[in-house]
Amino acid sequence: MENTQKDFLFELLTTASPSSMEMGIQKKWMEYIKPFADEIRTDNAGNVIGVLNPDADFKILLAGHCDEIALVINRIDDHGFLHFDKMGGINPKAAVGMKVTVLGQGRSITGVVGVNAQHHGGLKGDFGLDDLFIDCGAKSKEEIEKFVQIGDLAVYKREPELLMDRYISGRGLDNRTGAFIVAEVLRRLSEKNINIGVYAASTVNEETNMGGAYFAAAGLEPSMAIAVDVTFATDYPHVNKNKYGDVRLDHGPVLAKGAPINLKINRLLENAARSLDMNVQYELTPRMTGTDADKMRLTGRGVPVSLVSLPLRYMHSPVETASVQDMEEEIDLLVQMISGMTGKESLNPLED
């Protein structure tokens, strides 16, 4: 990964982008793709879409969501402590003892997720978010309300880091890595002669309602769509591989198999992987994928979809961890597949 691309990835990872508040990261994403996109489109959901070859009849939509999970302030007590609920899939046990950035009114402030000292009994059993609170150092409700209102959001205060110059660890790799990947696919395809229209979307709200993906696909009416997301790696201690499968970092992108997935798109991806001598892994999505693919598939007259995922350790924690090599291979895979398409492909599984 070149320094310019690495810097862009880290810029995305350090930008707060909780679901429903993605404007800041979207402006940075838009600025990055300006030099090589033929067009840039936005919509009322907050999506940003970079376009190549907009006059082509055959259109592929690549969707990588830019939003991250967050805490949402739902009560401020008389002593100035902030109580919160979840915006997306927050794990209460991962929140204990963490520093957070509260995205308040006009400024961001630092807080800590307080925890009862072990000497005083600690936290027992299966506790929930309503057992936790944020301490920003305020002495009263009146003081903290100068900065924070009900409905304000907070994210973990955690900077991305390289582990052994091999893996990236931090918060919100799910799925700002996907937003990065679709931008890079767009950049590399801009240097090639392609036969189809490419619509690379940084989508919003996936962690909460997937509305961004619906807006994007409904507005574009693509010929096909691929969700670019993350999936559960199972290559660390105490994971039941018999139950959750065998997905490993540094073993390549993960393709989904299941009822929502178009078989012919997967075949295109597999052929591209073979031509690159690239290993791919598989996950099962029998009913739904749990990603933007589910919403894109059900827009308009129906959109053939597939899902390409990055293996990710410790999902929805402050220390999500992914492989740089897997990211690069996923970019190569998508570029190889798309650059080889003619625009005359049939995605009907009943047609040869």
Side-chain angles (χ1 to χ4, degrees):
M1 188 180 295
E2 297 179 3
N3 287 337
T4 300
Q5 284 70 56
K6 178 182 171 185
D7 290 345
F8 173 54
L9 173 58
F10 273 67
E11 179 70 15
L12 295 181
L13 292 174
T14 54
T15 301
S17 58
S19 192
S20 80
M21 193 177 175
E22 302 96 341
M23 297 77 74
I25 199 169
Q26 291 292 59
K27 289 177 181 178
K28 293 179 180 181
W29 197 88
M30 192 182 333
E31 191 65 28
Y32 182 77
I33 67 169
K34 272 184 182 178
F36 48 83
D38 292 336
E39 291 181 10
I40 296 177
R41 304 180 185 181
T42 60
D43 60 30
N44 289 338
N47 297 310
V48 180
I49 304 170
V51 186
L52 296 176
N53 204 12
D55 295 328
D57 292 331
F58 192 105
K59 299 184 288 187
I60 180 171
L61 172 58
L62 305 175
H65 74 85
C66 69
D67 60 312
E68 60 177 314
I69 59 173
L71 314 175
V72 56
I73 307 306
N74 64 2
R75 185 168 68 89
I76 302 173
D77 70 26
D78 292 339
H79 301 286
F81 296 108
L82 308 177
H83 300 261
F84 56 87
D85 204 339
K86 59 185 178 180
M87 182 72 79
I90 292 288
N91 177 355
K93 293 182 178 179
V96 173
M98 285 298 300
K99 291 190 292 185
V100 297
T101 299
V102 183
L103 307 172
Q105 302 301 303
R107 59 173 286 191
S108 297
I109 59 174
T110 297
V112 296
V113 179
V115 56
N116 194 23
Q118 195 66 29
H119 309 70
H120 294 168
L123 285 166
K124 298 183 182 299
D126 290 327
F127 58 88
L129 293 179
D130 55 351
D131 295 305
L132 305 177
F133 56 87
I134 297 171
D135 183 352
C136 294
K139 291 187 175 181
S140 67
K141 182 176 185 179
E142 291 72 24
E143 183 180 9
I144 195 64
E145 282 185 331
K146 295 175 184 177
F147 309 104
V148 181
Q149 296 179 0
I150 300 299
D152 285 347
L153 301 171
V155 296
Y156 295 129
K157 192 169 185 177
R158 174 80 167 85
E159 296 299 311
E161 298 176 275
L162 276 174
L163 306 181
M164 302 293 288
D165 290 325
R166 179 182 298 126
Y167 301 150
I168 295 177
S169 182
R171 74 164 210 277
L173 274 70
D174 175 11
N175 181 40
R176 292 176 297 184
T177 55
F180 167 76
I181 287 168
V182 299
E184 277 302 287
V185 171
L186 192 75
R187 183 182 70 83
R188 297 189 195 182
L189 286 172
S190 72
E191 301 168 352
K192 298 177 178 289
N193 292 320
I194 55 175
N195 299 306
I196 66 174
V198 178
Y199 296 75
S202 177
T203 58
V204 298
N205 292 182
E206 192 273 352
E207 295 292 355
T208 49
N209 56 55
M210 303 181 195
Y214 186 89
F215 268 70
L220 293 172
E221 298 183 340
S223 310
M224 60 179 281
I226 298 178
V228 179
D229 212 312
V230 296
T231 193
F232 300 95
T234 60
D235 59 345
Y236 55 93
H238 313 305
V239 179
N240 184 343
K241 292 183 176 61
N242 290 330
K243 182 176 181 179
Y244 298 112
D246 188 2
V247 174
R248 307 180 187 187
L249 270 59
D250 289 334
H251 279 60
V254 182
L255 307 184
K257 288 187 175 183
I261 303 301
N262 181 274
L263 296 175
K264 286 197 166 182
I265 299 178
N266 265 17
R267 191 178 303 164
L268 290 170
L269 289 163
E270 290 166 336
N271 289 341
R274 277 192 290 271
S275 68
L276 293 170
D277 196 25
M278 178 188 297
N279 184 55
V280 294
Q281 306 179 81
Y282 294 95
E283 65 172 332
L284 301 182
T285 57
R287 292 184 63 252
M288 306 288 283
T289 71
T291 73
D292 278 345
D294 296 332
K295 291 292 185 180
M296 294 189 295
R297 179 172 178 258
L298 299 179
T299 59
R301 297 179 180 179
V303 178
V305 298
S306 188
L307 169 62
V308 182
S309 296
L310 182 71
L312 186 73
R313 292 176 181 167
Y314 325 129
M315 194 179 295
H316 284 197
S317 80
V319 292
E320 293 179 336
T321 301
S323 160
V324 174
Q325 176 182 307
D326 288 335
M327 275 186 263
E328 291 175 333
E329 290 190 355
E330 187 167 331
I331 294 165
D332 289 342
L333 176 65
L334 291 166
V335 169
Q336 179 74 10
M337 185 200 81
I338 294 168
S339 61
M341 294 181 69
T342 65
K344 300 184 183 301
E345 286 82 4
S346 168
L347 301 178
N348 185 332
L350 298 177
E351 294 178 356
D352 293 331

